[in-house]
Amino acid sequence: MFNTNRKKPKIRNRVGKTYNLKTMSKTLKKEEKVEYTGRYLVLLPEGSNTADSISQINTISGLNLKSSLEFENEFFTDKDLDKTDGIVLDKLGIAIVNEKPKAENSISSLGDNEMIVEKERVVYAIGMLDESTQNYVEGYRDAVNHMTNMLVGTETENFNFEEQDSEVESVGATWGLKATNVVPSTFLRYNPYNGAGIKLAILDTGFDFNHPDFAGRPIVHQSFISGESTQDGHGHGTHCTGTSCGPASSPSATERYGIAYAASIYIGKVLSNGGSGGDGGILAGINWAIANRCDVVSMSLRGLVNGTGYSAVFETAAARALAQGTLIIAAAGNDSARPGIVKQVMHPANCPSIMAVGAVDVNMNVASFSNGGLYPTYGAVDIAAPGVNVYSSTKLPTKYASWNGTSMATPHVAGIAALWAQATGLRGINLWRKLTSTAKALPLPGRDVGAGLVQAPTKTRLIKFPIDKTPILIHPKFPFDPIGPIEKIIR
Amino acid sequence: MKTKWLISVEHGAMEQVAKELRKTGIADIEALDAIGVIVIVPGEQKIADIKKIDGVINVEEERDISI
């Protein structure tokens, strides 16, 4: 893709001190001027192909444009662009045209021929904020919102009784849902997210379509196992689906166990009823999920790795999935016997572009079976989630079961990823970063739990006090208001 | 059953690689376009020969996977 490779702009303040853009990101800018690069963007007519467009532009304006297809992987630089009159981005139907003396009038003529012409703006990537700056800005935003709400009141969404009802019902939620803030443990926080509008694929042993907790729920499904339907003959896939996408309430379950209860469910059967398969079928399942524009793919499966290294084919596939906005989450594996034996993260979770999930128990200890990140450059555990004594749905007639495994931890992360995707609109690598940056740090080695325990997005419940004055807050270490004596000294 | 091979392919080279694979006598070809991977059931070919095809990034044998 196009790489501008510009240097960070410097900005001079009133006293003549120079800051770079990164430093300035914490400073409020009063004047915002649109800056232009000197180039033009030309939106080509809908449905026109690149070759025809180049020919048409040449006829109208005399400009000789190139196609992005002429560059390897359609990647070109400023230098490449400078050598031409302009380049047509084949996939977007947009031309970037250089400003040249002869071009000024000819560009305006394009506007008379069903093409939309704009000056190219200078843009700065918000996503390039470092984490501390982002926290600062978010904190500033939250403080302003909080102050505004205190002064003028807040919308009624903070008192949505339907949400409160579901919370009351979910007092009996699994320990995993409580530990990950899907069901906040304090009344001051609530979770308005349910995964609505998010497509979540579970690639596993299929699903029990007769399970009463999912009655009436639309489920898209596809089997990649020859001779077997998507009906789950094992129970493992139904358990994982239950954790990631199970209902908010159920007449027969003893606890709420589902996270993204309004997400669209995509079931890809890539493991047989015996619980095994080949990774060619898993690639086919990933391909199917991307083709269906799934935002999150949950894979509670693993292939043994004896030596070192990871699959280059899976890494290529996962990187392409991320680039298309699909986040793949996979189990680290259950091959360890801690504390004595810690095995490496298994295939395909050991690929750098696949998020690997380790398991913790209710006491926030690493599960004895959970694999660890043994190598510095790949095969890391990226995040941890509840994976011991996890209650969820399973195939009939058993209906519910409590199981252990990184297989159980993985759908916790997938379900919560769906909540974050709904809450923030983030996808792919940005969704990955959101999950890891909001995880709760644990006093455990990063080798075993990565960024920490996955956490769901929540909102603060604002409570209106029936008081006229702002209360005086006294620091517990200062029994008397210290402002008094300080004011006296100043006077 | 014969172990499948997984072939990662450069952007835009899927059709060309599939065509070359057919030329070598491979009939069972599954193209996964969204991720740029081709899964084949090999005959008498060698992995090294497949790697020589223009547009092929990598070739691996299929692994067993379980829950």
Side-chain angles (χ1 to χ4, degrees):
Chain A
M1 286 303 295
F2 184 53
N3 176 16
T4 56
N5 198 24
R6 294 183 210 288
K7 284 183 182 170
K8 268 180 199 156
K10 303 255 181 174
I11 299 169
R12 186 170 288 275
N13 76 357
R14 283 181 186 171
V15 292
K17 193 173 180 181
T18 304
Y19 297 93
N20 67 22
L21 189 65
K22 199 170 178 181
T23 328
M24 284 295 289
S25 61
K26 289 182 184 174
T27 310
L28 289 177
K29 276 194 268 179
K30 287 189 177 175
E31 285 183 37
E32 290 280 354
K33 276 188 177 176
V34 180
E35 298 171 68
Y36 297 102
T37 65
R39 295 193 180 112
Y40 293 86
L41 302 178
V42 181
L43 181 63
L44 307 174
E46 194 69 38
S48 58
N49 72 44
T50 300
D52 290 347
S53 298
I54 288 173
S55 163
Q56 189 187 2
I57 288 172
N58 182 258
T59 309
I60 296 167
S61 64
L63 294 168
N64 288 311
L65 304 190
K66 277 192 163 188
S67 166
S68 59
L69 295 171
E70 293 180 48
F71 300 89
E72 191 177 346
N73 293 329
E74 298 191 50
F75 177 90
F76 56 90
T77 63
D78 266 350
K79 280 184 182 174
D80 296 323
L81 192 51
D82 287 341
K83 287 177 194 165
T84 66
D85 285 348
I87 294 176
V88 176
L89 304 175
D90 181 70
K91 301 294 181 294
L92 299 176
I94 292 173
I96 304 168
V97 181
N98 278 324
E99 184 181 54
K100 289 184 178 173
K102 70 167 181 178
E104 194 67 50
N105 291 328
S106 52
I107 285 173
S108 62
S109 66
L110 298 177
D112 304 329
N113 287 273
E114 292 183 274
M115 297 180 205
I116 297 168
V117 183
E118 279 184 13
K119 286 183 175 178
E120 187 190 37
R121 294 170 184 82
V122 175
V123 292
Y124 301 105
I126 295 169
M128 283 172 73
L129 287 177
D130 61 277
E131 201 167 310
S132 62
T133 307
Q134 186 172 341
N135 288 342
Y136 177 89
V137 174
E138 285 179 355
Y140 183 85
R141 179 200 61 196
D142 292 345
V144 169
N145 288 342
H146 187 69
M147 185 69 78
T148 307
N149 288 333
M150 277 187 68
L151 292 172
V152 299
T154 182
E155 320 94 275
T156 49
E157 73 157 10
N158 295 306
F159 292 94
N160 185 330
F161 292 103
E162 216 171 276
E163 283 165 4
Q164 290 187 22
D165 281 349
S166 77
E167 253 180 60
V168 171
E169 198 172 337
S170 62
V171 165
T174 62
W175 76 264
L177 267 58
K178 290 175 188 166
T180 55
N181 250 339
V182 172
V183 178
S185 54
T186 165
F187 184 75
L188 293 171
R189 310 285 300 171
Y190 72 109
N191 194 337
Y193 306 109
N194 52 21
I198 306 301
K199 294 179 177 179
L200 198 161
I202 300 102
L203 305 184
D204 211 288
T205 58
F207 181 72
D208 187 344
F209 294 92
N210 300 315
H211 201 290
D213 286 0
F214 294 82
R217 190 105 174 251
I219 297 176
V220 180
H221 56 98
Q222 178 71 50
S223 178
F224 299 91
I225 299 295
S226 178
E228 291 187 16
S229 72
T230 38
Q231 180 65 26
D232 186 4
H234 185 285
H236 190 268
T238 306
H239 200 278
C240 295
T241 306
T243 300
S244 55
C245 303
S249 63
S250 154
S252 52
T254 58
E255 298 173 298
R256 175 185 164 187
Y257 58 86
I259 295 172
Y261 57 85
S264 302
I265 302 174
Y266 284 72
I267 299 292
K269 181 164 182 151
V270 297
L271 299 175
S272 69
N273 291 331
S276 63
D279 60 2
I282 289 152
L283 285 173
I286 292 171
N287 191 73
W288 169 78
I290 295 171
N292 280 285
R293 300 194 176 282
C294 288
D295 306 292
V296 180
V297 175
S298 184
M299 304 198 307
S300 292
L301 44 82
R302 71 99 172 87
L304 274 174
V305 183
N306 292 317
T308 56
Y310 57 87
S311 163
V313 173
F314 266 75
E315 174 56 20
T316 302
R320 287 174 179 170
L322 268 184
Q324 293 174 74
T326 300
L327 174 61
I328 303 175
I329 300 164
N334 308 329
D335 308 279
S336 300
R338 294 167 185 270
I341 301 168
V342 180
K343 293 282 181 127
Q344 64 178 304
V345 172
M346 295 291 164
H347 168 78
N350 62 352
C351 292
S353 296
I354 294 180
M355 178 174 276
V357 184
V360 293
D361 66 16
V362 69
N363 297 314
M364 293 301 120
N365 295 317
V366 183
S368 60
F369 50 77
S370 189
N371 292 346
L374 303 189
Y375 304 110
T377 54
Y378 73 94
V381 172
D382 297 299
I383 203 162
V388 178
N389 197 23
V390 175
Y391 176 84
S392 184
S393 52
T394 189
K395 76 179 177 87
L396 303 181
T398 312
K399 217 193 281 184
Y400 304 102
S402 292
W403 287 349
N404 305 328
T406 51
S407 281
M408 281 64 247
T410 301
H412 276 94
V413 178
I416 289 169
L419 302 188
W420 276 114
Q422 178 193 12
T424 63
L426 297 175
R427 299 289 185 276
I429 190 67
N430 293 320
L431 182 56
W432 175 312
R433 288 183 184 138
K434 180 55 81 176
L435 283 165
T436 52
S437 65
T438 55
K440 184 178 174 182
L442 297 172
L444 295 167
R447 175 196 72 167
D448 299 323
V449 296
L453 182 67
V454 67
Q455 296 288 290
T458 58
K459 280 189 171 179
T460 304
R461 193 191 303 279
L462 293 171
I463 300 166
K464 289 174 184 166
F465 293 100
I467 51 175
D468 298 329
K469 290 181 182 175
T470 307
I472 298 166
L473 301 173
I474 298 173
H475 194 284
K477 285 183 181 173
F478 299 100
F480 302 103
D481 182 4
I483 298 299
I486 293 169
E487 280 183 342
K488 277 178 190 170
I489 291 164
I490 292 167
R491 273 199 298 265
Chain B
M1 203 167 71
K2 189 132 191 178
T3 304
K4 292 176 181 174
W5 290 355
L6 317 174
I7 305 166
S8 53
V9 176
E10 286 173 7
H11 277 299
M14 290 287 280
E15 276 185 32
Q16 182 60 30
V17 171
K19 197 173 157 187
E20 291 299 318
L21 289 169
R22 278 189 204 97
K23 273 188 197 170
T24 66
I26 298 166
D28 198 341
I29 296 173
E30 186 183 6
L32 308 174
D33 291 310
I35 54 174
V37 172
I38 292 175
V39 181
I40 62 166
V41 178
E44 298 306 311
Q45 299 79 8
K46 291 176 181 165
I47 284 185
D49 295 333
I50 305 295
K51 278 185 176 172
K52 283 178 192 162
I53 296 174
D54 264 355
V56 168
I57 300 173
N58 228 305
V59 186
E60 292 171 9
E61 286 191 347
E62 188 181 36
R63 301 162 193 78
D64 291 330
I65 298 284
S66 61
I67 55 172

